[in-house]
Amino acid sequence: MGRAAEMLGTTPAFLRTLGEARLITPLRSEGGHRRYSRYQLRLAARVRELVDGGTAIDAACRIVILEDQLEEARRINEELRASGSGSSGSPRS
């Protein structure tokens, strides 16, 4: 956790808060140390950016969750368009 906090320029308490907010749930090593994925670190960095800009941490977590959901929806939409699925043959306006 200390290393992850150092990489993000934040504190271990900040990362614990993100865990309590259920934004990120790190895996645990056999020794009980938290192990963060690159994806989790990207989310934490985005929350930190919002918090540094004056957004409350709970609001920042919600914003990041919504941004992530939007990105996933866009990715799925692009995959469907690329595969031709969901196309009824008539354009929509």
Side-chain angles (χ1 to χ4, degrees), residues 21-41:
R22 298 179 192 233
L23 178 69
I24 56 176
T25 305
L27 296 175
R28 296 277 185 155
S29 69
E30 288 183 22
H33 298 282
R34 291 174 178 89
R35 302 282 182 174
Y36 297 94
S37 68
R38 286 185 179 106
Y39 171 74
Q40 290 171 333
L41 292 174

Side-chain angles (χ1 to χ4, degrees), residues 51-81:
V51 169
D52 287 352
T55 305
I57 195 162
D58 58 331
C61 287
R62 186 68 184 139
I63 289 167
V64 169
I65 289 167
L66 291 170
E67 287 175 342
D68 194 52
Q69 289 172 343
L70 178 59
E71 182 58 34
E72 178 68 6
R74 285 180 174 158
R75 185 190 61 75
I76 291 168
N77 192 19
E78 285 301 315
E79 286 177 6
L80 291 173
R81 284 184 182 166

Side-chain angles (χ1 to χ4, degrees), residues 1-16 18 36 40-53 57:
M1 174 180 272
R3 176 78 174 114
E6 183 181 310
M7 288 171 55
L8 295 171
T10 190
T11 64
F14 178 80
L15 292 174
R16 278 192 292 278
L18 299 184
Y36 297 94
Q40 290 171 333
L41 292 174
R42 275 197 315 272
L43 292 179
R46 178 65 178 132
V47 170
R48 181 171 185 261
E49 180 182 307
L50 290 168
V51 169
D52 287 352
I57 195 162

